[in-house]
Amino acid sequence: MEVMKPLIDEQNSDGISDEEHENNFLPVEKHYQLDNEEGITFIQTLMHLLKGNIGTGLLGLPLAIKNAGIVIGPISLVFIGVISVHCMHILVRCSHCLCQRMKKSSLGYSDTVSYAMEVGPLTAFQKRASWGRYIVDFFLVITQLGFCSVYVVFLAENVKQVHEGFLENKTATINVSATSSSFEKRSTDLRIYMLCFLPFLILLVFIRDLKSLSLLSLLANLSMAVSLVIIYQYIVRDIVDPRKLPRVVGWKKYPLFFGTAIFAFEGIGVVLPLENRMKDTTRFPQALNIGMGIVMTLYISLATLGYLRFGDEIKGSITLNLPQDIWLYQSVKILYSFGIFVTYSIQYYVPAEILIPAVTSKVEQKWKLLCELVVRALLVCSTCAVAVLIPRLDLVISFVGAVSSSTLALILPPLVEILTFYKENLSLWTIFKDIFIAVIGVVGFLTGTYVTVEEIIYPASTVLANATESISADLNATNLVVGFK
């Protein structure tokens, strides 16, 4: 699950001043080994990395491969994965260096960017160093609320399919000839399912303490793990000959692949909080490499096998391609939906921690609780509104990935490295490498956003598909009439 809690760790909530912190943590070079009693172990760090990167993005990767091609897709996925992991290492290294320079115990993502601008060579950046914190916070809010919108669409599509599958099977047992008409009458618009989830999501986010959700979170992780095992055992059957699938798809669709891929790999927000909480931080790079290696293996295998299994019929989430008449596979949708429902509240925690204090600080004490609950409800409504306006899972994932995930995962880390180490005679290779990665992020941001927005406004593929289905239906009806004659 894409659990991201980077901002809570960035603030000194104990009320101790910066000067006292500096005295307590000197010498700075040893600050990474503090609080061993409360730190997390290597295995716990590894598990958190896995949870922070595995979610709905994984299930959308087979469609991403379709948008790139059976050859170029997996290769590009490896390339983006390697760059994303490298950017995570960059962020950790910059955080270490800035902690030593600023004599801080630890830094989160937004503070790392802010201090990098402060020590950078450009006076304009130094004067506006606080903007770095605001920029990261802004994109974190967009990313997390975008995740929540994706979850709403995912829940609605999977529950709708389970419900309609149940109705279809029920009517089939009564009368085969009446199945079609009965099922069409009972088919409900996807947006209705989204609105049905709205009150339950609002009640869920009213739970302000994440510790209260620890048991549900454990059950959610188990349900998603079981679901993935069942999905794997299904897609390895009847795999299509790869030669029948396009090796490379037109570049018009490639930005959609990029958005989905970077959405899946955008777990960079959990890196610094985990590194700051680890008992032996010298082993964090090893944990990061092992964890992301497992994630990349899972991503590439499921994406490739899923596309090979379903071909051009692959949908925004691979769960939607599972049979509707077998309850084992229907249970996968229910189990994974339960996991995503619980994860919604965890993803929601970050934007709530950023936005709610800013609003409640302007309200009298007696109204603070009511104001907080109202803001929480409005934020949930905003995620539901986005889902209602863009009720296509693949497009919401691509849009969020292109806009915010590319900024946090690819654009900012290399620029932070240049600002942080410019005094240490960076090699031309390092500068070229950082600029190259940032340019990839910017190009992906622009093209991914453009293509996704164009697809949202002018859904040519959807219209064409509907037209094709309509023509096929008309032909079938004509043949049936001719047959009766």
Side-chain angles (χ1 to χ4, degrees):
M1 300 184 292
E2 301 104 333
V3 185
M4 298 173 64
K5 295 166 57 180
L7 296 172
I8 310 161
D9 305 285
E10 295 176 7
Q11 302 172 354
N12 298 328
S13 57
D14 52 8
I16 301 174
S17 65
D18 288 340
E19 291 78 8
E20 289 174 293
H21 268 285
E22 292 175 12
N23 295 331
N24 289 339
F25 291 114
L26 290 174
V28 183
E29 290 78 4
K30 297 183 179 180
H31 74 273
Y32 310 115
Q33 302 301 330
L34 295 177
D35 297 326
N36 285 348
E37 296 78 14
E38 299 179 1
I40 57 177
T41 64
F42 180 88
I43 298 298
Q44 288 175 323
T45 303
L46 195 60
M47 296 306 297
H48 283 301
L49 280 171
L50 294 177
K51 287 195 298 182
N53 285 275
I54 297 174
T56 53
L58 168 65
L59 303 180
L61 286 176
L63 180 61
I65 297 294
K66 175 187 174 183
N67 289 327
I70 191 60
V71 173
I72 198 69
I75 294 174
S76 299
L77 207 55
V78 173
F79 180 71
I80 291 177
V82 170
I83 291 181
S84 298
V85 175
H86 178 67
C87 287
M88 293 177 185
H89 283 288
I90 287 177
L91 194 62
V92 171
R93 195 159 65 94
C94 291
S95 175
H96 287 181
C97 179
L98 292 170
C99 278
Q100 293 181 7
R101 288 190 195 179
M102 300 298 174
K103 294 181 171 57
K104 297 290 183 180
S105 62
S106 63
L107 293 176
Y109 196 165
S110 59
D111 281 334
T112 299
V113 175
S114 179
Y115 284 124
M117 293 175 65
E118 186 176 324
V119 303
L122 301 178
T123 306
F125 281 1
Q126 294 173 1
K127 292 180 179 179
R128 299 169 178 82
S130 61
W131 288 17
R133 184 178 291 106
Y134 299 142
I135 290 172
V136 174
D137 287 354
F138 171 77
F139 281 107
L140 279 174
V141 169
I142 296 298
T143 300
Q144 297 306 111
L145 292 181
F147 284 161
C148 292
S149 296
V150 169
Y151 291 172
V152 173
V153 181
F154 179 88
L155 289 169
E157 286 194 337
N158 281 271
V159 171
K160 172 181 167 69
Q161 199 176 77
V162 171
H163 180 227
E164 293 185 348
F166 171 75
L167 294 179
E168 188 175 13
N169 292 334
K170 186 177 180 180
T171 53
T173 58
I174 300 175
N175 191 333
V176 176
S177 63
T179 300
S180 176
S181 60
S182 300
F183 179 65
E184 288 176 3
K185 289 179 182 179
R186 296 189 182 187
S187 181
T188 308
D189 189 271
L190 182 65
R191 297 172 178 86
I192 302 299
Y193 288 90
M194 297 179 187
L195 295 177
C196 289
F197 274 107
L198 182 58
F200 297 101
L201 291 172
I202 291 176
L203 291 175
L204 182 67
V205 301
F206 280 174
I207 303 175
R208 295 179 292 168
D209 185 8
L210 286 182
K211 292 181 180 179
S212 303
L213 294 171
S214 58
L215 178 59
L216 284 178
S217 180
L218 176 62
L219 294 175
N221 293 333
L222 292 175
S223 65
M224 293 169 73
V226 171
S227 299
L228 287 176
V229 172
I230 299 174
I231 291 173
Y232 265 103
Q233 67 87 24
Y234 180 78
I235 62 177
V236 294
R237 308 175 185 176
D238 302 325
I239 292 179
V240 178
D241 186 352
R243 291 173 294 183
K244 296 182 180 180
L245 299 173
R247 297 179 181 179
V248 180
V249 179
W251 292 104
K252 178 72 173 178
K253 291 288 185 181
Y254 192 82
L256 295 176
F257 162 83
F258 176 86
T260 304
I262 200 63
F263 176 93
F265 277 110
E266 206 280 291
I268 196 167
V270 303
V271 171
L272 289 181
L274 290 178
E275 197 267 348
N276 292 335
R277 290 183 176 182
M278 197 173 178
K279 287 182 179 180
D280 182 8
T281 55
T282 58
R283 298 189 65 192
F284 183 78
Q286 181 186 2
L288 183 59
N289 289 333
I290 294 174
M292 294 308 298
I294 296 173
V295 169
M296 287 180 61
T297 302
L298 190 63
Y299 280 5
I300 296 167
S301 61
L302 185 67
T304 306
L305 291 173
Y307 183 44
L308 286 174
R309 174 64 177 81
F310 298 109
D312 291 336
E313 301 298 321
I314 192 66
K315 298 181 181 179
S317 170
I318 195 173
T319 55
L320 301 175
N321 287 95
L322 299 177
Q324 291 183 253
D325 56 346
I326 301 176
W327 273 105
L328 174 64
Y329 302 115
Q330 291 289 68
S331 67
V332 169
K333 302 166 191 175
I334 297 173
L335 288 172
Y336 216 96
S337 295
F338 169 74
I340 292 300
F341 178 78
V342 175
T343 309
Y344 183 100
S345 63
I346 302 173
Q347 297 291 5
Y348 180 89
Y349 193 70
V350 172
E353 285 295 305
I354 298 173
L355 299 176
I356 290 176
V359 176
T360 56
S361 62
K362 301 177 182 179
V363 180
E364 296 181 13
Q365 183 63 36
K366 63 179 180 179
W367 299 107
K368 281 187 182 294
L369 178 59
L370 178 61
C371 179
E372 178 179 345
L373 295 179
V374 170
V375 173
R376 285 178 176 272
L378 291 176
L379 286 176
V380 175
C381 291
S382 69
T383 63
C384 187
V386 172
V388 168
L389 292 173
I390 315 174
R392 281 185 58 185
L393 186 62
D394 57 329
L395 293 185
V396 180
I397 289 176
S398 294
F399 182 74
V400 174
V403 172
S404 55
S405 298
S406 60
T407 303
L408 294 173
L410 297 182
I411 299 175
L412 291 180
L415 297 181
V416 167
E417 183 176 37
I418 294 176
L419 293 175
T420 303
F421 297 107
Y422 84 98
K423 290 182 180 179
E424 300 182 11
N425 297 323
L426 283 175
S427 65
L428 289 176
W429 159 250
T430 301
I431 296 174
F432 173 78
K433 178 261 299 179
D434 287 340
I435 293 175
F436 176 71
I437 293 174
V439 168
I440 291 177
V442 171
V443 172
F445 176 98
L446 296 176
T447 58
T449 303
Y450 173 78
V451 171
T452 305
V453 171
E454 184 183 41
E455 188 76 14
I456 292 172
I457 299 175
Y458 307 107
S461 59
T462 304
V463 173
L464 181 61
N466 291 339
T468 305
E469 290 177 3
S470 177
I471 293 172
S472 300
D474 291 342
L475 289 175
N476 291 336
T478 304
N479 293 334
L480 184 63
V481 172
V482 173
F484 278 125
K485 289 181 179 180

